Amino acid sequence: MDVDRLLHRHGVDLARLDPAPHVPTWQEMRDHLALLTGCAVCGATCLSAWVVDTESGPRWVGLCQIHTPGVLSELVAPTVLGKTGAVHG
């Protein structure tokens, strides 16, 4: 699942997310992760930082240990017969 769909699915108010640069550097991502107060979905401690495009411009999104894996599996998952899935070892 991509970050946009995850946020929409959980009814996250995008207006409350902090503005982000259009193309953040790794250092900006790392530094902002340290500043995030909690997962945008559930409030737990953040494991990853993302930038999403919104109608108001790019916004920072922090995700926790529970919500990060679903987003990562979408990025690295193999595509079979037009469907995306994750392979776990």
Side-chain angles (χ1 to χ4, degrees):
M1 171 178 313
D2 66 22
V3 177
D4 293 321
R5 286 192 344 213
L6 178 71
L7 298 176
H8 179 73
R9 180 180 187 185
H10 290 280
V12 174
D13 179 10
L14 301 179
R16 72 177 178 86
L17 302 175
D18 293 334
H22 284 282
V23 181
T25 65
W26 280 110
Q27 182 173 349
E28 288 173 315
M29 296 288 282
R30 186 194 68 223
D31 292 348
H32 196 78
L33 179 60
L35 298 174
L36 290 169
T37 57
C39 176
V41 176
C42 68
T45 301
C46 291
L47 176 68
S48 62
W50 303 81
V51 172
V52 295
D53 287 323
T54 70
E55 292 178 1
S56 301
R59 301 286 184 201
W60 287 108
V61 175
L63 296 177
C64 67
Q65 183 177 3
I66 301 297
H67 293 106
T68 294
V71 173
L72 291 176
S73 68
E74 178 78 14
L75 296 175
V76 298
T79 301
V80 180
L81 301 176
K83 295 192 175 193
T84 305
V87 178
H88 300 282

